[in-house]
Amino acid sequence: MADSYMGKFLLVDLTNETSRTVPTPQWLKDQFVGGKGFGAKLLYDLVPKGVDALSPENVLMFFPGPLTATAAPSMRACAVTKSPLTGTYLDSFFGGRLGPEIKYAGYDGIIIFGKAPKPVYLWINDDQVEIRPAGTIWGTNALEANALIKEEINEPDAMLAAIGQAGENQALFALICCEYNRQAGRGGAGAVMGSKNLKAVAIKGSRLVKVHDPEAFDKACKGACEEIALSAECATYTDGGTSSAVPWSNEIGTLPYKNYYTQSDPQADKIGDEGQKKHLFLGKAACFGCPIRCSQMGAVRTGKYSHFITDIVEYESAALLGSNLDIHDPRAVAHLTKLCDEYGLDSMSAGGVIGFAFEAAERGVIQAPDGVVLAFGNVQGAEYLIKSMAFQEDDLGRLLSQGVKRASAVLGKQTMDYAMHVKGLECPAWGPRGTPGMGLAYMTADRGGCHQRGFMIGYDMGDEYNGEPVEMYQTKGRAGILIELQNFLAGTDALVKCDFSQCGVSPESFAAMLSAATGRQVDEDYFDLLGERIWNQTRMFNVREGFLAKDDTLPRRFVKQVLPDGPHKGHRVSEADMDYMRRDYYNIRGWDEEGRPENVTLQRLGLDKAPVFKERP
């Protein structure tokens, strides 16, 4: 009976230059559904404890979801691996058309093992799988590599995942470029790809993706699209993408300024939606099958950094390469973001690392090279550091390319006081002093400091929860709200939905689409239990790698330094705040005092006796 799965995984062994397919296990579909769920289980099963993330023993996996490449709105795909930056479980999501192309080629996932002896790229054309030499392409940036490979295979419509120089040089926060302005950005999946001597994966497919009940599926998809059309939040994304979050974040006092010294910026509006509309935006674009169309294609047309085409500078990049560095020309921020994209660096981590370096330089801890100024507000200094980290041309670039956690450990001199990371992942652009629930979200996210696993800002600012307003600044009750968010998001990330779409699409519609596509009848509560299972599976991986309660913490600046100004002046997230929220969180999760899932929790979720995926190429 037809369903929306393609029925097989592609396993590739770069060491021996072989590949084969294996059936997608029914038990895996039943218990983990797809996307993040597949990644959580298979990373645990395939990667031995303690493996160096940059060794051939690590795996790199690409997973669409059961609704990817169908008419379901706003579905994506993800890359999953062990992070070289944090040592934790890592998933990183990307839009565009690469995810659908994996399904069109006939696969529910691509799992890459080993390390090629020389640079290669992978060319997947339906059942034809080739490992081709990439010697002439090695050394190019991610977008140049994309164009050169499409020309070589003579397939301009193929979709590519490619790395730039940063990935080749294994900068620990290197990204994977999944076509123009679509990246698997966080955590260093690009460095894993570089460690395997894998420059790119090119994919083209010709298969149809079927669904179990076409009539019911069409009805469910129309319902989901209507919900998106009626959503005020989705309309905001259509109008200005996430750039509109810059002035909002500044107004509520969460926007990082000068390496999070404070959380308000008097010039924030210059880099928000109005500033970008004036200097950058020209027209809209969208990922595959997305009615929201948050992309705002444009160009830098005037000034020092003209002329180049750019997409929207989304909130996190605008904040971390803009206000966090005291840079307020949106054209300059677009320029820095474009450099990160081309060289293949995560713009969020890059902004965090540069902010750390600027502060360290101003404190006299590091010395700028001759002719370079490392200081807040200096665009050329930021540009220099991006290049030096990607190309690793000097000791400073090599040190900073390891992230702020490792750089701080080497530099000493109390630099840990302003090294802004959680478990090694540089912090997102939502300062948590005054919003403790967001702090707990960073503390407990499965890939390190991340805002996408449970966005608590609205509740921290007084939104209602279960019909009652949430009291600001309180730590009581935050854990329960966050766990509910984390479970639902992890469950729907098994579908690999876009975070923006879930602002409009209801749980009932997600359930209706999944039921009609796969034939497995689920209701609106299904994603909560599924997400809880997935969340505990990623926790099992992290615990196995040695991450316990001591690691579920915030950077010292958020804990020790009260905010000097802004709406939350005088606030911080204290040690006592963290301790209370952490214990409450573990208790509700069914974890012990160190954050290890209790046996009764694993039994309830069916994780104690789950089958083990043992297939190899």
Side-chain angles (χ1 to χ4, degrees):
M1 186 172 294
D3 65 25
S4 58
Y5 290 101
M6 306 311 291
K8 62 181 185 290
F9 290 139
L10 175 64
L11 311 184
V12 179
D13 179 357
L14 293 174
T15 303
N16 297 303
E17 299 188 349
T18 61
S19 67
R20 72 182 182 100
T21 61
V22 298
T24 307
Q26 186 62 48
W27 63 264
L28 190 65
K29 293 187 287 186
D30 291 343
Q31 296 184 38
F32 294 94
V33 175
K36 182 185 179 90
F38 282 3
K41 176 57 177 166
L42 297 193
L43 192 72
Y44 188 87
D45 288 350
L46 293 174
V47 176
K49 175 183 177 181
V51 157
D52 181 345
L54 297 178
S55 73
E57 287 72 29
N58 195 8
V59 297
L60 176 63
M61 304 182 282
F62 296 90
F63 293 115
L67 301 182
T68 304
T70 72
S74 312
M75 294 294 159
R76 308 197 294 171
C78 61
V80 179
T81 188
K82 180 179 180 180
S83 168
L85 184 64
T86 66
T88 66
Y89 165 85
L90 171 66
D91 55 34
S92 195
F93 294 73
F94 55 88
R97 217 187 78 203
L98 178 62
E101 210 66 32
I102 295 172
K103 297 278 289 283
Y104 295 152
Y107 307 106
D108 292 318
I110 300 169
I111 307 174
I112 301 170
F113 299 74
K115 175 183 179 179
K118 295 180 179 179
V120 297
Y121 71 89
L122 187 60
W123 169 217
I124 302 167
N125 187 2
D126 286 332
D127 296 331
Q128 178 186 336
V129 180
E130 298 179 51
I131 299 173
R132 291 188 168 193
T136 59
I137 301 166
W138 200 257
T140 58
N141 72 42
L143 297 179
E144 290 170 343
N146 183 300
L148 288 169
I149 290 173
K150 286 180 178 175
E151 181 178 357
E152 182 169 301
I153 62 178
N154 194 29
E155 290 285 358
D157 293 330
M159 293 290 108
L160 265 78
I163 58 173
Q165 295 91 343
E168 295 176 4
N169 293 321
Q170 299 174 35
L172 295 188
F173 49 93
L175 58 73
I176 300 175
C177 177
C178 305
E179 295 292 320
Y180 183 79
N181 210 39
R182 297 291 180 269
Q183 291 92 16
R186 302 239 70 190
V192 174
M193 204 157 153
S195 75
K196 295 181 176 300
N197 275 330
L198 181 61
K199 181 67 177 179
V201 179
I203 307 173
K204 191 171 188 298
S206 61
R207 289 178 170 83
L208 294 175
V209 178
K210 301 177 181 177
V211 295
H212 174 77
D213 184 338
E215 185 176 347
F217 187 68
D218 184 56
K219 180 181 179 182
C221 292
K222 287 181 178 176
C225 289
E226 289 172 0
E227 289 173 332
I228 289 174
L230 294 172
S231 166
E233 288 182 79
C234 291
T236 300
Y237 292 129
T238 302
D239 179 60
T242 58
S243 62
S244 61
V246 174
W248 179 65
S249 179
N250 189 50
E251 181 181 348
I252 64 173
T254 58
L255 184 70
Y257 181 59
K258 290 190 173 182
N259 197 32
Y260 300 84
Y261 172 71
T262 185
Q263 294 175 188
S264 57
D265 177 0
Q267 301 186 71
D269 286 352
K270 293 181 179 178
I271 55 174
D273 52 337
E274 294 305 318
Q276 293 194 36
K277 285 176 181 177
K278 178 180 179 181
H279 290 289
L280 304 179
F281 296 176
L282 290 173
K284 296 187 181 302
C287 292
F288 174 94
C290 182
I292 299 175
R293 298 175 295 130
C294 69
S295 279
Q296 312 288 336
M297 295 306 299
V300 173
R301 305 177 291 276
T302 60
K304 181 178 180 179
Y305 304 103
S306 60
H307 300 273
F308 67 90
I309 295 172
T310 181
D311 200 338
I312 183 176
V313 181
E314 52 85 27
Y315 170 76
E316 296 291 338
S317 297
L320 290 165
L321 289 171
S323 60
N324 192 50
L325 306 183
D326 200 18
I327 294 171
H328 299 97
D329 182 346
R331 296 165 296 187
V333 179
H335 167 67
L336 296 176
T337 305
K338 184 72 175 288
L339 288 180
C340 288
D341 291 350
E342 290 181 339
Y343 301 152
L345 284 173
D346 171 25
S347 60
M348 291 177 62
S349 280
V353 170
I354 295 169
F356 168 81
F358 280 0
E359 183 163 353
E362 291 191 349
R363 291 172 180 264
V365 177
I366 61 176
Q367 300 299 316
D370 290 342
V372 177
V373 177
L374 300 181
F376 289 107
N378 191 285
V379 179
Q380 290 70 34
E383 180 179 277
Y384 171 82
L385 289 178
I386 290 171
K387 290 181 178 177
S388 67
M389 289 188 291
F391 290 86
Q392 306 202 353
E393 294 170 333
D394 56 25
D395 289 342
L396 182 59
R398 284 187 285 275
L399 174 64
L400 295 176
S401 73
Q402 305 301 297
V404 296
K405 180 182 178 180
R406 288 175 174 81
S408 175
V410 171
L411 292 171
K413 299 179 180 178
Q414 298 182 323
T415 54
M416 193 60 76
D417 289 347
Y418 50 91
M420 309 306 292
H421 71 88
V422 176
K423 298 184 180 70
L425 185 64
E426 287 71 26
C427 289
W430 302 91
R433 285 174 288 182
T435 54
M438 200 68 230
L440 181 63
Y442 292 171
M443 291 163 60
T444 57
D446 53 11
R447 63 178 185 179
C450 176
H451 63 295
Q452 293 179 291
R453 302 295 176 260
F455 191 73
M456 289 288 289
I457 293 292
Y459 296 111
D460 282 323
M461 297 305 297
D463 282 358
E464 289 188 350
Y465 175 70
N466 287 339
E468 297 291 332
V470 177
E471 193 172 350
M472 290 181 64
Y473 303 128
Q474 297 300 305
T475 54
K476 184 179 180 181
R478 293 299 200 268
I481 301 172
L482 175 62
I483 288 169
E484 185 176 304
L485 292 178
Q486 289 175 336
N487 288 346
F488 179 74
L489 291 173
T492 49
D493 279 343
L495 308 179
V496 208
K497 56 90 180 74
C498 172
D499 281 356
F500 301 161
S501 70
Q502 61 97 28
C503 295
V505 179
S506 65
E508 291 84 356
S509 287
F510 280 126
M513 290 189 290
L514 181 61
S515 298
T518 65
R520 183 195 318 148
Q521 296 303 308
V522 301
D523 62 21
E524 65 272 21
D525 296 327
Y526 173 76
F527 300 103
D528 299 322
L529 182 60
L530 170 64
E532 186 180 7
R533 181 181 301 121
I534 293 170
W535 197 259
N536 277 271
Q537 182 68 64
T538 61
R539 185 70 181 187
M540 289 169 66
F541 181 90
N542 289 343
V543 167
R544 193 178 71 179
E545 297 301 310
F547 291 90
L548 296 170
K550 62 179 174 41
D551 304 296
D552 292 337
T553 188
L554 291 172
R556 289 183 186 175
R557 172 157 281 172
F558 295 153
V559 179
K560 301 294 185 183
Q561 299 178 25
V562 299
L563 278 173
D565 54 28
H568 308 299
K569 180 180 179 180
H571 281 272
R572 61 184 172 129
V573 184
S574 69
E575 294 280 2
D577 292 335
M578 290 195 297
D579 185 57
Y580 175 83
M581 292 191 294
R582 188 189 299 115
R583 284 188 288 109
D584 196 24
Y585 181 92
Y586 289 177
N587 182 51
I588 297 172
R589 277 277 180 213
W591 296 355
D592 68 15
E593 70 279 359
E594 285 292 342
R596 294 175 291 234
E598 302 269 16
N599 287 336
V600 66
T601 302
L602 300 181
Q603 291 167 5
R604 178 172 57 81
L605 297 171
L607 292 173
D608 58 326
K609 297 179 180 178
V612 176
F613 185 87
K614 298 179 179 178
E615 300 284 357
R616 297 294 188 276

